[in-house]
Structures are given as structure tokens and as C-alpha cells.
Amino acid sequence: MTDLPTPIVSIEAVTKTFGATVALKDVDFQCFPGEVHAILGENGAGKSTLMKTISGVIRPTSGVLRAGGTPVTFKGPGDALRAGFVCMYQELSLVPDLSVQENLLLGAPGSRLGRLDRSPLATARDLLDRIDGQDIRLGAKVSDLTLAECQQVEIVKALIRKPKLLILDEATSALNASVVEKVFDLIRAQRDEGVAVLFISHRFHEIEALADRISVFRNGQRVETFPNGAHDYAAIIDMMVGQRIDELFPAKRSLPQDAKTVLDVADFAWQPEVKPTSFTVKAGQIVGLGGLDGQGQSRLLQGLFGLLRGTEGTLRINGAPIPTTGPKAAKQANIGLAYIPEDRKADGLIQDQSIMENLDLAAMGRADLAAGDVALYAGSLDRLELKHGGLDLPVSSLSGGNQQKVVLAKWLALAPKVLLLADPTRGIDVKTKTQIYTLLRELADAGTAILLLSTDYEELIHLCDETHIFYDGAVTRSLSGDDLSAQNIIAASLNIPSDGGVAHA
Amino acid sequence: MMTLTRPLPSWINLEALLPYIGTLLLILGASTAFPQVLSLDYLTQQLQIAAFLGVLATGATIVILLGHIDLSVPWTLNGAAIVATAMAGSGNAALIALAIPAAILFGAAVGAVNGLGVTILRIPSMVWTLAINSILLGLAVLNTGGFNPRGESSALMSWLATGSIAGLPVSFLFWMAVSLALALVMTRSGFGRYLRSIGYNEKAVYLSGVSTRSVVVGAFVIAGVCSALGGVLLAGYANQAYQSMGDPFLLPTIAAVVIGGTSILGGCGGLFGTIGGVLFITILNSVLSVAQISDAWRSIIFGAIILAMLLFQTLRRGGRT
Amino acid sequence: MRDFFSAYRRELIASGVLVVLLSVYLGTHPRGASTYVLTIWANQCVILGLVAIAQFFAVIVRGIDLSVGAVMALTNTLASHLLDGSAVAIGLGIVAVLVAGVLCGLLNGALVVFGRIQPIVVTLATASIFVGIALILRPTPGGAVNYDLADAITLDLFGVPTALVIVAVLVFAFWLPFRRTGLGLGLYAVGSSAQGAFQSGMPVTTIRLAAFSLAGLFGAIAGLFYTFVTTTGDAGIAPNFTLNSIAAVVLGGVLLRGGTGSLIGALIGAFILKTIAALMFFSGIPSLAQPLFEGMILAVAIAIGGADILRARNRLEAFGR
């Protein structure tokens, strides 16, 4: 990379705002042919916005985008595709009701609305086979595929468009290690043919294995770009977070001997997705649930909250058996469950309604609470330092982090005995994260049982007292104390022994 | 609906005021060519007629706020009218007294069936209520032999539809009373809150621990009762029930609700706007007929004006989709 | 093969039902399976089939078209003026009728896409306009059509009803090739996931416009065919056909949420509805009970379609994607 050729894509002084939120702030960035350029940053750092700008999904508020040196304005992804910029999206671009082959052909260059050119299908079959997708039939409906299979299809869909620039946004998050390795082989082959690759991943070892250069983003700005290997893991994390990890998390406390069990889950199952699972959460404890996506951990949380029919096993809170009949029963004072759903935008909040109307929605069904009284929420809102211009403003005017604070305050008003959280800090800025961590620790100290599903290893390690790792519907390992390390979590997630295989992780 | 410390209650906004302004402009505009439009007689008569559409639109608003639609209005109305007139015309004092309650019960039952199909089987309300409508039609045909049903309206029904108190039509007062009662339910109970919230995002409401099913069924029951009351009024007005008496009311009902600022997708809007929408549509129809415009042109102008109002609404909301 | 069965499960079930119904019909018909009986049956089925196809194109992109019946009425009345005289005049007349339909559809599409008004409301309003125009064209039913042409299209070809030949041509020469174009694929993609289609580089706006234009085109073809069958123009046919078109697509396995179903399914749904009606006529069920039976069959068919949800083990599935 010494004598730099013309960049395939370059952006100059690009800013993108969504309402009050600044997603990208005056960013300069270049990507050259024949390099794999990794983008690192926390959720909410602006990585996905950058990718969407380059792939034409969103238009920058200001700044210039150049393709091969010429300034371009993409009216949509179609324009970007014609410029050779192909993106594999985090939230997949597959259409659920169509078959795999129809999805592969959708929007393929050369046959936009006219007769479909079916010739890429042979290549697609070959590529699928090369990344362990032999079992994916081209005629199968996409809605019948697993998330991992969808990602394999999405990768192939991107490759058969013969990209000049290939953007992979969390392209491999649901794939297991051996498939990932095969995908990387394909990507390296593309790079060697002169394709530029932009690569976003949360798995640091993947970036180490694949990237030529790395750019780190934080709070919508590019912090630094450097060759792979120039900085060690800890330094990069510091760059991403802007502060040291141990400052993020509240100190763990040792559990008193006589801590009583609040939540007792015994042989809880929802066949075949959740196999019989038993664990307890004691007062003062934060228990983590980890593993790759879709291994049963999020179903378990849903089942505990009564969202699943036909669950087996027993669930006790403070010793009393609890029926799992649905959210309405679960939130009553005699049970005291609260559930923070994974998709806060769609499932946790009603975006069109005001902050106050969102806050009181859970408390309204509780006869013992005065849902209309702001005092009910003021405590949690103060502790979380919710910034807002008035409780009667729509909740959609808040940033992602502040929205999550509203969801938390809404449920904390019910003073739950057990708090079930599904990845509550995904896509949230660091400051809010620390506030949430502190709050969770305080709640635990006050005797609330906390069950935290997380896709963030750091949370599982530094916030949780004990972490259960799921694989294929069952807990493969329960980690606590010194065993609670990244290596052990990764090994258990992939269901391989922790003393080998992923040493470079 | 939040009523914190605002100068105006939040249900009065431009969206809801638009049809009132439109009504006013219509009346003033028409009065330049047809001065009789400004007469008290004419206007009170419009209020009397508006009440029929008004009661129906009140129920439709509740269901549309929820993000659903009730296409069974015509034959719920017709069925209730047949029930009421049959009982009122029986000559038996007890049955005559029970005519209106029986009609209401009929409407509630239809509403419950609508609601249960929509909530338990999760059939789109547009299809399910359409099917229920055709079943009701079938029942009516079977019951009446395809002829106009026998029977007559009771004295109470006629009074409700045609009487007047202190110069104001009873039907109008009745419509206002129904609207007010529902408005109170909407603002003073959790039901109204849940209704709107479900209209925006049912899943989030369910996950907040609300039995969304009972809210939805309740809303359809209310709509069924409103359709039945509309049938009672119309039967009282015509002194009889007749085949297909409800058919001309379906589309104006939906149009009145939408023009009143209630989103067909659910969530935003309310009864205040619907009253304006009903007045607007009633006056529009009446002015076109006073002007002796042919049916064909009335239909065209009617459609064009509704489109214009809707376009104005979306323009005002700006880029929001 | 297994992909074929799972992809076309709904169509296969519906066609099974149709085969049974048709056999019973032909078996019980006093004149048996003669060309005459089949031709009359096919003409009725194909009229509704074409309207159902129009509805299908709106529904597949997650829309709905409440103006299909009105477009049909408009084109029917227009055709009743233009389909007589020299061959050239008739040819131009047919083109004019089809163009009128496409323009109606395009207007709907433009209001939905650029006016950002919900399809259900847009088409409710435009239906009023189209019916108005139809009333201007034909205040009362009437008109003249070239009888030779009408006979050619509505009788039979070598013993096979021409209407069925038209359907076969439609399916094999239009639909199957169309399904293999980017536009054919794009309709499904937009209805199933507009976001996914957009990110795949599909021109979503153009596709929506095309869908509504196709709905208009098929509304016009339906109007044209109706003209040949009845040889008159009638502005009053709109409401019935609109409602039946929705029932037909739902019976044919087209989901109102968009993205699922096919033109063939819409046709089968229409054929089922009309065959039931024809069957009733000879079934010995008292004629007064027939509307009730039709309604109940419709409701049961729809309810069976919704019964899947009762087996859902995740309560959140009720809220859809």
C-alpha cells in the first residue's frame, strides 16, 4: 500500500444526521482496490451508517462521495450496484416470501425489470457449495431457512454481482468457525483479483485473520486508520471505547453465603429449540446468557415471560411456582417479571407516542400502581439521567440509548422481582451503557434477580457473576469467577473444548 | 392522549379542525348561489340527517383507531333494523319496549363475532367482516323471504329519528350523546389509551402486559352496537326496515372518519374529527343535491374533494410516511 | 418437487376444491357436462376471474384496490359505445378501453406512491370518480356491441368455451413468462419486504406504479369481457365486483399482507366462488337460503385459512412479521 492507486471509494467530509442524532460527523475515508479494510467500532459508532451511505441506502446530509475518483450521488442502492458497490447487509436484504434463486436474481445487474438472466445461478450453486451450503436448495423459500443459511445466501448474492467493492456488514455473525474460514477464503480470492473489501465484524479474531488495514470509529467519527498488527487488542479496544474497559463496569461483589434464591428455573424446555435447562439467580446476582445467535437463549427468556406455548418444566420466584401464561399475568405484583425485548424500537416502544405514554403502558394494568403519576418513573429516569425536552414529546425524538432508558424506566416502575433483559445495550453509546450497567448492579444489590442475555462478551465477562453459554438449545458451559473469559465463552459458543482450536481468538 | 399543561386540549388540532373549516366554507360558498342553505330549517335538517351517518362513523372511528376496519356495517345496520321493526310491529307491548335493546344486543353479538375472528384466527378484519356481512345478508334474505321485512318502528324509534327538543333534532342530540359517552370512555379509561397504542403497535402493547385481544373484541362490539343504533335511527326515520338500507352508508362512513383526521393505519385521530368529517360529507352531499347536480357529477366531485382533503393532510404532515 | 408443493400449496388445495365443486356441479346439472353448460359457467367465472386478477396485482405489493369494480364499470360503459362499427373502429375502441383502464390504475398508483395516501383510501375515493364517469357514459344500462365479435369471444372454439381458451392464453402466454421477468419478481419482493427489494437495487416506486397500472389494465380487460358477455354497458356493477374480487383472491390463497399468492390462485378463487353460486342454483337448497350458504362457505374457507395461527407455539407469531 505504498504508492497509493486511485481509491475505489472515497468519502470526504461526510456528515449524516437523523433528526437530532448525528450518526456520522465530518468523516474522511478511503478504500483501495485489493485491500480488506476492516471497520471497528462500538454499536452506534457510525459503522453501519457509513456502509449504508456507500451502498446508496441513505444519502449523506453533507459531504462528497467518490467512486473511482469521480463524485457520485446515489439515488438508491440500484445506482451503487451499477457502480460496482455491493453490500451484504446486517439486516439481510433477502425477501422472505421468495425462493433462494429468486432472491439471488433479484436486482441482478443486466436484468432489472426485463427478462431475468438465469446464468448466475450456476455460479451461485458453486459458491454456496464452497461455503458449506450444500444443503441449501435453490428452490427453498427464504423464510424456511435458518439465520446462518440466510447469511450464506446473502454472501453468495453479493458475490455473483461481480463487485468492485464488496461491503460485508456483520456478514458472518451467525456462521460457525469452519464456514467463516471458507467464506474468508472466498473473500481473499476476491481481494487478490483486485476487489476492495470493507469488512465490519464484532469478532476481533476475524478481523485479525482477514484485514489488511483497520479503521476505528467512535461516536460517528473516524479515530484512526492503521495497518493490521500495528496496535494490540487492548489498545484498539481503548480506541473504540474511548476509555478503559474496567472503568465501564461497576465492581463485582462477592455474594453473601446466605443469599436467597429469587429465580429458580428447573428443567425448563420448549422442544426442540430449548432443551431442559436448569439454573438459579440469587439476590444480588447478575446472570448472563450467551452463545451464538439463535441457540435457544432468547427463546428461553421469551418462555420465562410466558410468550411461548407448550413450555415444560417449572419456574419458581422466591420459592413459589409461577405459571407462564403471558405478559399480563407475568407483570402482576404476585409474579413480578419484567422483560426488556431485543428489538426496543419495534417491540419495546410505540414510536409514535409520547415518552409519558410509553412510560405508563406497563404500569396501567396494575391496580396497585398510579400509572399516570410521573413520580413512579422519576426515580429511574433520574438514575439513568434521561435527557429529554419534555415527557410529552414523541419517544421517537430520543436517541437509541435514551429510548432504552425509557423502556427500562417503564418496567422498573413495576418494581419487578426478576428482570429479563434481551441484549439491552445493542447499538447504544458507551455512556448510556455504563449508566445501564451501574443501574443493573444497583438493582441486583437491592435484591432484584437479573437475567441478562447479551451478544457482547465484555458484558458477559465483566458485568455478570455467572454466565451460561448456549449451544443448540442447551447450556454447554456455565462460567463464573476466573473461568469467565473470552476464550472460554467463544469455545463454549462453538461447542469445542476450550484448550484448543481458537487459540488466536 | 396527553392533557398536561397545554392551552388547548390535544384533540383539537388542525387535522381535526380541517373538516369543520371545510364544512363552513361549503355552507358559505353554497349560500352565495343558494341562499336557503343558510336558513335555520335547512341546517337543522342537515344535523338530523348527519346523525345517521354520525352514529355509524363513531363506531367506525373506534375500529379504525385500532388499525382495523369493519365492513359489516351495512348488514349489521340492516339486521338490527329488521329486528327492531319486527318487534315494534308485533303489537305486543313487552316486545315493543324491548325493540331497541334487542337491536343493540344484535349489534353487540355481531361485533363480538367480528372481534373474535380478528383476534383469535388473526384473519385480516377487512376479509373477515366482509364475510360476516355476507352471512348477515344471507340471514336477512332467509328471514324476510327477499321482500321488504314487515314491521314498523316504535314510537320511541320514530321520536329518536324525527323528534326535536328545543329546536334541535333528537337524532342529532342522540349522536352527540353517543359521541360524548364514547369520548369519555376513551379519555377516562385505559381502554382509549390501549386502543390507540394497539393501533400503532399491537405487539409492543401485548409485551407491556396488556390483554390486547379483549381490547380489540371490545372495540368491535362497540362498533357493532353503533351500527345497530344507526339501524334503529334509520328504521325510525323510514318507519320501516328495507333491504340494503345500509349499503349506501359504508363508504361515506369510512370517508368521514378518514377526512376527520383518523389514520386508516390506526393510532392517531379521534371522535372530534369524525364529527367534523360527518358534517362535511353530509353538507357536501346536500349542497350537491341542492345544486341539482346529476348523480354522475356528484360522485365525481365527491371523490375528487375527498382526495383533495387527503392530499392536503399528507402535505401538511410533510415527509412523514 | 417438494419445493413446488410447498410453494404452491395454497393453489393446489384451492384447485382441488374447485375440481370437486365442478364435478358436483356438472353431475347435478340437468343438462350435464355439455358445451353449453360449460360455456355459460366459464363466462361467469372468467368475468370474476379477471377482476380478481386486477385485485391480485394490487394485493401482491401489499396494497388493495377498492376501485377495481369501478374501473370495470367505467371500461364497460366506455366499451358499450366503442365496440360497434368497422373492424378498425372496434380495434381502436378496444385499445382505447384498455388505455382507459391503465390510466385509472396509474392514477391510483400515483396517489399511493407520490401522494403517500393509503391504497384503501385512495381507491375508495377514485372509485367514486370512476363510477361517476361511468354514469356519465351510461346513465342507464344500454349500448350496442358487435354481435359477431361478442359471439366469437363468449361462445366456444371446437367445443371448448372461448373464455377458457382466453384464460389458458393468459396463464401460459402472459403470466408464466411474466413471472420470470425482473418486474414479475419485483412485485413479490416489494410486497414481501419493500426494504429488501430496495436494498437489492430494485426500483420500488416504479414497481408499485406498475402494479396498480396492471390492476387497472385487468380491470379494463374484465370490463371488456363483461361487455361481450352482456352486450350492454352498466355503471351499477362496481360494488359487487369489488367485494367479490377481494373474496376471490383470499380464497385463491393470496395473502392480503402481500408477497404471497399468484395470478393462477386469484383465478381459481374466482372460479370457486362462481361455481358455488352456480351449484346452489341447481342444488335443491331453497333459493332463499342460498345467500346464507354462500356467506357461510366464504367465512368457513377464510377461517380455515386462518386456523394455522391456532397451532402457533410462539404467542408473538400472532403479530406477524
Side-chain angles (χ1 to χ4, degrees):
Chain A
M1 317 265 30
T2 41
D3 59 330
L4 295 178
T6 316
I8 293 250
V9 62
S10 72
I11 65 171
E12 292 159 19
V14 161
T15 297
K16 176 69 191 177
T17 54
F18 297 101
T21 319
V22 182
L24 286 179
K25 210 182 316 177
D26 204 20
V27 170
D28 291 314
F29 177 81
Q30 295 177 322
C31 185
F32 296 95
E35 73 163 340
V36 176
H37 195 138
I39 312 287
L40 275 174
E42 291 215 307
N43 289 319
K47 295 169 300 184
S48 285
T49 310
L50 179 73
M51 299 300 136
K52 284 180 176 165
T53 307
I54 294 174
S55 58
V57 174
I58 56 178
R59 275 188 249 183
T61 312
S62 63
V64 183
L65 174 66
R66 288 176 195 274
T70 352
V72 286
T73 309
F74 292 148
K75 289 201 184 68
D79 289 349
L81 283 170
R82 278 183 287 284
F85 295 3
V86 180
C87 185
M88 203 220 111
Y89 298 91
Q90 187 180 355
E91 67 276 23
L92 305 165
S93 74
L94 301 181
V95 172
D97 290 318
L98 291 176
S99 69
V100 170
Q101 60 182 353
E102 288 172 323
N103 267 287
L104 290 170
L105 296 174
L106 190 68
S111 56
R112 295 228 304 155
L113 291 182
R115 212 178 151 66
L116 293 173
D117 172 16
R118 301 175 78 81
S119 58
L121 287 179
T123 325
R125 179 74 266 170
D126 175 51
L127 287 171
L128 267 179
D129 294 347
R130 279 165 64 184
I131 55 171
D132 280 358
Q134 295 88 343
D135 293 342
I136 303 175
R137 284 168 295 115
L138 290 183
K141 215 167 130 181
V142 163
S143 57
D144 294 334
L145 301 184
T146 64
L147 179 61
E149 288 171 330
C150 286
Q151 288 193 341
Q152 286 164 296
V153 173
E154 182 88 23
I155 289 166
V156 170
K157 179 178 166 186
L159 287 177
I160 59 172
R161 288 163 183 228
K162 301 196 171 55
K164 286 185 204 148
L165 171 72
L166 180 62
I167 303 169
L168 301 155
D169 185 356
E170 295 283 356
T172 56
S173 61
L175 302 179
N176 71 44
S178 74
V179 179
V180 167
E181 203 39 58
K182 287 170 183 155
V183 172
F184 284 3
D185 286 340
L186 282 182
I187 293 174
R188 287 191 194 102
Q190 292 278 318
R191 174 193 60 193
D192 296 344
E193 287 167 23
V195 172
V197 180
L198 274 175
F199 183 72
I200 297 182
S201 171
H202 271 114
R203 297 177 184 170
F204 197 74
H205 60 281
E206 291 186 358
I207 289 183
E208 255 185 343
L210 191 64
D212 297 311
R213 288 200 301 160
I214 297 173
S215 288
V216 175
F217 278 72
R218 187 174 72 227
N219 292 336
Q221 287 177 303
R222 187 169 59 88
V223 181
E224 204 182 322
T225 298
F226 50 87
N228 189 6
H231 294 288
D232 69 358
Y233 176 69
I236 293 175
I237 295 284
D238 288 350
M239 236 183 265
M240 283 165 57
V241 176
Q243 55 183 313
R244 294 183 45 80
I245 282 202
D246 46 12
E247 292 166 358
L248 279 173
F249 294 96
K252 293 187 195 180
R253 298 196 193 139
S254 57
L255 210 59
Q257 285 296 317
D258 58 342
K260 71 181 173 84
T261 300
V262 181
L263 177 69
D264 181 4
V265 178
D267 290 323
F268 196 83
W270 192 58
Q271 301 287 3
E273 284 185 62
V274 183
K275 314 225 158 70
T277 304
S278 303
F279 61 89
T280 61
V281 186
K282 295 198 166 75
Q285 232 186 350
I286 298 179
V287 171
L289 302 177
L292 301 178
D293 268 1
Q295 302 301 314
Q297 66 273 42
S298 55
R299 289 284 177 265
L300 173 74
L301 277 195
Q302 292 186 341
L304 295 180
F305 197 54
L307 299 176
L308 306 177
R309 286 198 183 99
T311 50
E312 300 154 26
T314 53
L315 167 62
R316 286 194 168 79
I317 294 179
N318 292 334
I322 295 303
T324 51
T325 47
K328 189 179 179 174
K331 81 171 176 186
Q332 298 308 320
N334 59 345
I335 296 183
L337 275 167
Y339 171 68
I340 311 294
E342 216 156 328
D343 187 346
R344 78 179 152 266
K345 276 212 155 94
D347 300 345
L349 293 169
I350 298 166
Q351 294 290 332
D352 303 88
Q353 292 194 305
S354 71
I355 301 172
M356 185 63 197
E357 283 169 309
N358 275 286
L359 281 173
D360 67 7
L361 198 56
M364 273 174 71
R366 281 271 297 263
D368 54 328
L369 297 173
D373 188 354
V374 183
L376 199 54
Y377 320 100
S380 342
L381 292 182
D382 286 348
R383 274 156 92 182
L384 288 164
E385 297 173 43
L386 177 76
K387 283 190 223 97
H388 64 88
L391 290 180
D392 52 349
L393 290 177
V395 81
S396 56
S397 66
L398 300 177
S399 70
N402 282 321
Q403 290 195 3
Q404 189 66 296
K405 291 176 185 176
V406 174
V407 180
L408 281 165
K410 155 179 157 180
W411 280 104
L412 293 181
L414 276 64
K417 296 175 198 151
V418 178
L419 189 53
L420 312 168
L421 302 118
D423 218 0
T425 60
R426 182 183 273 185
I428 281 179
D429 60 289
V430 183
K431 177 134 188 275
T432 306
K433 275 188 184 177
T434 42
Q435 289 168 332
I436 291 177
Y437 297 152
T438 311
L439 177 78
L440 291 181
R441 180 47 73 189
E442 286 171 13
L443 287 169
D445 289 345
T448 310
I450 294 181
L451 194 55
L452 172 75
L453 180 155
S454 179
T455 50
D456 182 345
Y457 296 162
E458 308 297 344
E459 279 175 14
L460 294 175
I461 296 167
H462 297 285
L463 184 63
C464 298
D465 300 298
E466 185 178 14
T467 291
H468 305 291
I469 305 296
F470 279 74
Y471 182 83
D472 196 22
V475 174
T476 47
R477 262 195 97 175
S478 298
L479 302 163
S480 61
D482 292 337
D483 285 344
L484 199 41
S485 65
Q487 281 89 338
N488 284 341
I489 290 179
I490 290 166
S493 300
L494 302 173
N495 199 25
I496 49 176
S498 52
D499 49 353
V502 284
H504 63 282
Chain B
M1 203 181 284
M2 291 259 311
T3 42
L4 287 181
T5 50
R6 287 191 192 168
L8 276 177
S10 61
W11 46 267
I12 299 185
N13 52 33
L14 190 66
E15 208 108 292
L17 283 176
L18 188 64
Y20 290 93
I21 298 168
T23 310
L24 219 61
L25 290 178
L26 261 177
I27 294 176
L28 293 177
S31 69
T32 55
F34 313 101
Q36 73 267 35
V37 166
L38 282 179
S39 75
L40 203 60
D41 272 359
Y42 174 82
L43 290 174
T44 49
Q45 197 200 347
Q46 295 318 305
L47 290 183
Q48 183 197 358
I49 294 172
F52 307 138
L53 182 60
V55 172
L56 300 174
T58 308
T61 309
I62 305 286
V63 170
I64 291 176
L65 275 177
L66 206 57
H68 286 289
I69 198 157
D70 182 359
L71 298 184
S72 74
V73 168
W75 284 91
T76 311
L77 179 165
N78 216 330
I82 292 172
V83 169
T85 51
M87 290 177 74
S90 65
N92 177 326
L95 287 180
I96 294 174
L98 284 174
I100 295 180
I104 291 176
L105 204 64
F106 173 82
V110 174
V113 174
N114 282 337
L116 289 173
V118 168
T119 52
I120 294 184
L121 295 175
R122 287 276 148 189
I123 304 166
S125 50
M126 177 182 278
V127 180
W128 182 243
T129 55
L130 190 63
I132 296 300
N133 192 51
S134 49
I135 289 184
L136 292 173
L137 179 154
L139 279 175
V141 170
L142 187 63
N143 182 263
T144 60
F147 301 104
N148 275 346
R150 276 193 303 244
E152 58 183 23
S153 63
S154 67
L156 179 60
M157 288 162 67
S158 302
W159 178 73
L160 278 176
T162 58
S164 71
I165 298 174
L168 281 173
V170 176
S171 63
F172 173 71
L173 297 174
F174 181 72
W175 167 33
M176 288 298 117
V178 170
S179 294
L180 195 68
L182 275 178
L184 283 177
V185 171
M186 297 274 291
T187 47
R188 297 290 153 83
S189 74
F191 179 78
R193 265 295 310 285
Y194 291 149
L195 204 65
R196 286 165 198 284
S197 301
I198 291 172
Y200 284 122
N201 186 343
E202 180 171 3
K203 194 176 175 189
V205 181
Y206 175 75
L207 282 171
S208 300
V210 177
S211 164
T212 56
R213 266 187 193 175
S214 39
V215 177
V216 174
V217 173
F220 273 98
V221 168
I222 291 177
V225 169
C226 285
S227 301
L229 289 175
V232 167
L233 284 184
L234 269 177
Y237 184 71
N239 198 26
Q240 60 169 342
Y242 50 94
Q243 298 288 346
S244 303
M245 63 197 284
D247 287 351
F249 283 92
L250 177 61
L251 300 187
T253 301
I254 299 171
V257 175
V258 175
I259 282 183
T262 297
S263 162
I264 199 85
L265 298 176
C268 71
L271 292 169
F272 177 70
T274 297
I275 296 174
V278 168
L279 292 175
F280 179 82
I281 286 192
T282 308
I283 300 284
L284 177 62
N285 257 329
S286 161
V287 164
L288 291 175
S289 115
V290 166
Q292 293 188 323
I293 288 170
S294 71
D295 276 359
W297 280 106
R298 270 167 71 171
S299 184
I300 294 173
I301 295 171
F302 190 76
I305 288 186
I306 290 177
L307 274 181
M309 305 256 308
L310 292 172
L311 278 174
F312 186 78
Q313 266 182 18
T314 46
L315 281 180
R316 234 185 48 76
R317 284 178 200 161
R320 268 204 307 139
T321 40
Chain C
M1 224 32 209
R2 107 183 197 229
D3 291 330
F4 178 84
F5 280 117
S6 74
Y8 294 99
R9 186 175 60 98
R10 293 161 188 282
E11 282 86 347
L12 289 171
I13 294 172
S15 43
V17 172
L18 176 60
V19 168
V20 172
L21 285 172
L22 184 59
S23 333
V24 176
Y25 172 58
L26 294 178
T28 54
H29 195 285
R31 296 180 61 172
S34 65
T35 299
Y36 172 77
V37 172
L38 273 175
T39 303
I40 292 187
W41 167 80
N43 282 343
Q44 290 306 312
C45 289
V46 170
I47 295 171
L48 184 59
L50 290 166
V51 198
I53 291 174
Q55 189 63 262
F56 159 78
F57 278 112
V59 168
I60 198 69
V61 293
R62 205 174 279 203
I64 186 106
D65 189 347
L66 296 187
S67 74
V68 282
V71 171
M72 194 180 156
L74 193 161
T75 49
N76 165 237
T77 50
L78 184 63
S80 73
H81 286 282
L82 299 179
L83 297 189
D84 213 355
S86 70
V88 176
I90 292 178
L92 287 176
I94 289 177
V95 171
V97 168
L98 297 181
V99 168
V102 172
L103 288 178
C104 289
L106 205 56
L107 174 68
N108 284 333
L111 285 165
V112 169
V113 170
F114 303 115
R116 299 189 190 188
I117 312 176
Q118 282 304 308
I120 178 172
V121 189
V122 164
T123 52
L124 191 67
T126 54
S128 180
I129 297 177
F130 301 154
V131 168
I133 298 173
L135 275 170
I136 293 175
L137 290 168
R138 279 276 167 230
T140 53
V145 173
N146 184 305
Y147 276 100
D148 295 335
L149 185 60
D151 282 352
I153 287 178
T154 58
L155 294 180
D156 61 281
L157 271 177
F158 311 111
V160 181
T162 318
L164 293 185
V165 176
I166 294 173
V167 165
V169 170
L170 199 64
V171 168
F172 291 103
F174 166 71
W175 174 246
L176 295 181
F178 177 76
R179 189 67 181 76
R180 289 163 172 270
T181 64
L183 179 58
L185 204 55
L187 293 177
Y188 284 85
V190 168
S192 177
S193 161
Q195 175 77 4
F198 177 66
Q199 291 185 342
S200 303
M202 297 302 280
V204 175
T205 304
T206 314
I207 291 173
R208 280 223 171 87
L209 281 176
F212 278 95
S213 305
L214 280 165
L217 174 66
F218 276 90
I221 297 177
L224 209 52
F225 191 74
Y226 183 83
T227 317
F228 287 126
V229 174
T230 61
T231 67
T232 54
D234 181 353
I237 58 175
N240 211 358
F241 277 111
T242 300
L243 296 185
N244 278 327
S245 73
I246 297 174
V249 293
V250 171
L251 278 184
V254 182
L255 295 189
L256 290 187
R257 67 158 171 78
T260 301
S262 73
L263 178 144
I264 301 171
L267 272 173
I268 296 172
F271 273 58
I272 290 178
L273 267 187
K274 279 294 168 191
T275 309
I276 290 174
L279 193 57
M280 290 281 178
F281 196 72
F282 294 101
S283 62
I285 297 172
S287 62
L288 288 177
Q290 284 176 14
L292 178 61
F293 267 83
E294 280 184 50
M296 287 180 55
I297 289 171
L298 182 62
V300 169
I302 292 165
I304 290 172
D308 273 358
I309 199 71
L310 295 178
R311 288 198 297 273
R313 292 176 67 221
N314 189 335
R315 294 184 216 265
L316 294 181
E317 273 176 37
F319 303 103
R321 282 202 302 273

